[in-house]
Amino acid sequence: MNLVEDHCDTADGGLTAGWSPSGSCTLSAHAEDPAPDVLPPPPPLLTATPDSDEEEGVPRARKPSGRYVLAAHRKDEKDGVCRAISRLPRPWVTYRVSGWVGVGAAGAAEEERSSSSHAVHIEVRVDGHRPVGGGVAVVEPGKWGEIKGSFRVDDDEPPRSAMVHVHGPAAGVDLKVMDLQVCAVNKIPRLRHLRKKADRVRKRDVILKVSGGRAEDGGVSSVAGAHIQVIQVQNSFPIGSCITKAGINNPEYVDFFTRHFDWAVLENELKWYYTEAVQGQVSYADADELINFCDQHGKPVRGHCIFWAVENSVQPWVRALNTEQLRAAVEARLRGLVSRYSGRFPHYEVNNEMLHGSYYRSRLGDDIDAHMFRETAAIDSAPALFVNDYNVESANDPNATPEKYVALITDLQRRGAPVGGIGIQGHVTHPVGDVICDALDKLAVTGLPVWVTELDVSAADEAVRADDLEIVLREAFAHPAVEGVMLWGFMQGHMWRSHAQLVNADGKVTEAGSRLVGLRREWTSHARGKVDSNGNFKFRGFHGTYQVLLTTGDGEVRKRAFDVKKGDAPLVLDMDF
């Protein structure tokens, strides 16, 4: 159900009914005939397609009407249009905002109209002023942009009013809105779809051709009918977490981490501002302690991060350097850090958040980011070198669209940077599954592996938090381009974001923590049965490492190990016991 009602009782056929100017502008109604060819069309809500399991949970395409409202004579970027959401949203329910927006640079030069793009924001506010979410589209003049926003009222009290506002382009740029819809998200068909998709992407048929010691019949008769048990000991899709020096001194923290996570990343202890807070006083003692802890527990560690592109994350003494001093400091940091841990990290995040900051590029030239990648690879060729940024999967940040991320990666590669992976941080609020999937699809065209590198979901309501966590984890697990997920902490008091914990400060596992444990159990394959008369045992299992136990007729248990890797054809393994 669309919460924004249509009105058809005005002279313009209802196009402007319900809409009001927000700020200084004038409204008028228009229609394109035929309707614009907008690809891909935005989904109004998540619905199942009844005649196709393949498309179950995938939003249906909706043909645009071609009827839109135009706001002209705008004097400020906050000027635009607004309207009431007539059916008030319910607390703790995630809603999807969808539709199309466009811009027209009235009064601008023709060349500017054809080249400039503008960010159009849709913002939902409740009770007059409080923003609860929305979305953004970056639109070129003459084209329609798709809005894929979401919002949620995270409050036990229902709102008294709700409004949707559309604004954002520069003053003088006309703004168009077409077919706005606000609908509650139905997660059930989407989750059903993701389970089926994960089975295709992460599982494989396996045939174990079992033989024993009797050569005359190929060893089949000695094992036919024997009891067999297959146990998955490790999934090839790692799920990890950041860890802290304070955390590893907490026994309950250590217990949850070692039992439920595969990889680690240091939250702060490897960052430049941490290892060299004062110029010339370099210490890796805390980083070494955490890395040694991970080595003791067999957990690979991601390198986070060599540099950070956002200015307010650069320590004061670095900001005080002149150009040549800064260049020398960058080279010293590269040589000192990367050579010290050569071969220790499977991944490095080289220059964090380049979509949101340009500290080094603005001071040392456009090639410095690629130089950091090239030099890191020259010092240590082992790790895959990642870009890493936030909001890419959320459709709410004009600086961090998937298209801009791909353009950044392409430019780095053009300059010789050996980019080996894409990190999307995943600091999400009210996530919507197909919005995340759309971003992953756009990043996948690069052919690079994608990791969710800093996942946390914040909701004071534990059940909502658990649902949100499941949405992101299932989207990542079911997408073929994603190769792993790292949480940005898991225990209250030992993580950056509030209302995001999987474990409370007292050690009690929250509903979100239980959901993670349940998903990990679901994504682990075990099988048992008997070897058939041909000496075969068949099962379908998730990619990863397995142990097989064969119990002979006299009760002897024999063990073997094997790996299941990606592949479309059944994996056939000769298993000689």
Side-chain angles (χ1 to χ4, degrees), residues 260-503:
H260 300 298
F261 292 111
D262 307 307
W263 285 44
V265 62
L266 312 191
E267 183 176 23
N268 295 309
E269 287 82 355
L270 207 64
K271 293 171 181 171
W272 194 6
Y273 68 68
Y274 192 102
T275 61
E276 194 176 3
V278 178
Q279 187 175 12
Q281 298 181 19
V282 181
S283 174
Y284 293 103
D286 291 345
D288 287 346
E289 181 180 350
L290 287 169
I291 293 168
N292 290 337
F293 165 83
C294 292
D295 288 346
Q296 293 167 13
H297 293 281
K299 310 293 184 183
V301 183
R302 302 186 76 248
H304 175 80
C305 52
I306 305 175
F307 298 101
W308 199 339
V310 178
E311 182 167 353
N312 63 12
S313 297
V314 177
Q315 61 269 49
W317 72 262
V318 173
R319 295 202 300 266
L321 301 176
N322 64 33
T323 300
E324 291 309 311
Q325 292 169 333
L326 177 61
R327 192 178 300 277
V330 165
E331 297 300 330
R333 165 69 172 173
L334 274 168
R335 291 192 302 272
L337 172 67
V338 180
S339 62
R340 178 183 179 85
Y341 295 106
S342 181
R344 294 294 301 271
F345 302 137
H347 299 168
Y348 257 127
E349 281 147 9
V350 177
N351 191 13
N352 199 35
E353 298 176 359
M354 288 181 283
L355 291 174
H356 291 92
S358 58
Y359 182 81
Y360 299 99
R361 186 167 63 250
S362 64
R363 289 156 179 80
L364 301 178
D366 290 343
D367 192 56
I368 188 61
D369 296 333
H371 172 79
M372 292 171 175
F373 278 80
R374 295 192 302 262
E375 287 301 300
T376 299
I379 299 169
D380 184 3
S381 60
L385 306 185
F386 274 65
V387 293
N388 191 53
D389 228 302
Y390 62 92
N391 286 348
V392 178
E393 74 293 329
S394 297
N396 62 4
D397 185 345
N399 296 312
T401 64
E403 292 82 359
K404 288 187 177 181
Y405 211 11
V406 171
L408 170 68
I409 294 164
T410 301
D411 181 66
L412 288 169
Q413 292 173 326
R414 182 178 61 82
R415 297 174 183 274
V419 181
I422 302 173
I424 58 172
Q425 292 183 7
H427 301 295
V428 299
T429 305
H430 44 74
V432 175
D434 71 286
V435 176
I436 296 171
C437 184
D438 178 73
L440 293 173
D441 287 346
K442 291 174 179 177
L443 298 177
V445 301
T446 63
L448 294 171
V450 178
W451 279 61
V452 181
T453 54
E454 304 182 16
L455 174 61
D456 50 30
V457 294
S458 179
D461 185 287
E462 283 201 14
V464 172
R465 188 191 317 157
D467 287 346
D468 285 353
L469 179 65
E470 180 178 2
I471 286 168
V472 184
L473 287 175
R474 285 197 184 275
E475 290 292 343
F477 188 72
H479 200 285
V482 181
E483 294 191 357
V485 172
M486 303 293 294
L487 273 69
W488 204 241
F490 58 90
M491 188 173 189
Q492 187 179 29
H494 296 283
M495 60 189 308
W496 168 69
R497 202 171 180 197
S498 61
H499 301 306
Q501 69 267 23
L502 279 62
V503 181

Side-chain angles (χ1 to χ4, degrees), residues 210-215 217-226 550-553 558 577:
V210 182
S211 59
R214 293 176 55 183
D217 62 355
V220 173
S221 63
S222 62
V223 295
L550 181 79
T551 304
T552 64
R558 301 174 185 175
F577 285 89

Side-chain angles (χ1 to χ4, degrees), residues 3 85 88-97 122-135 149-165 167 182 394 396 428-432 458 468 497:
L3 301 192
I85 298 177
L88 292 178
R90 292 173 290 158
W92 302 110
V93 173
T94 300
Y95 289 86
R96 176 69 179 276
V97 181
I122 287 189
E123 184 179 37
V124 178
R125 304 175 193 168
V126 297
D127 297 333
H129 63 281
R130 179 161 61 100
V132 292
S150 66
F151 71 93
R152 186 172 62 216
V153 180
D154 288 342
D155 197 329
D156 291 332
E157 291 294 325
R160 296 180 298 276
S161 65
M163 297 282 292
V164 57
H165 295 256
H167 58 82
V182 176
S394 297
N396 62 4
V428 299
T429 305
H430 44 74
V432 175
S458 179
D468 285 353
R497 202 171 180 197

Side-chain angles (χ1 to χ4, degrees), residues 172-252:
V173 177
D174 293 348
L175 173 63
K176 299 183 285 187
V177 184
M178 179 171 62
D179 297 348
L180 181 72
Q181 290 202 350
V182 176
C183 302
V185 175
N186 179 5
K187 298 187 290 288
I188 294 174
R190 182 70 185 180
L191 295 179
R192 190 183 301 123
H193 164 74
L194 291 173
R195 290 186 183 97
K196 294 178 180 179
K197 185 179 177 183
D199 185 89
R200 298 192 300 272
V201 171
R202 302 291 173 190
K203 277 184 154 183
R204 189 174 182 182
D205 290 321
V206 180
I207 302 173
L208 301 181
K209 300 183 74 65
V210 182
S211 59
R214 293 176 55 183
E216 60 269 21
D217 62 355
V220 173
S221 63
S222 62
V223 295
H227 290 277
I228 192 168
Q229 183 178 8
V230 176
I231 303 170
Q232 185 171 17
V233 296
Q234 186 176 37
N235 192 299
S236 63
F237 185 93
I239 298 177
S241 175
C242 75
I243 58 173
T244 67
K245 178 177 169 60
I248 65 170
N249 293 315
N250 182 320
E252 291 166 326

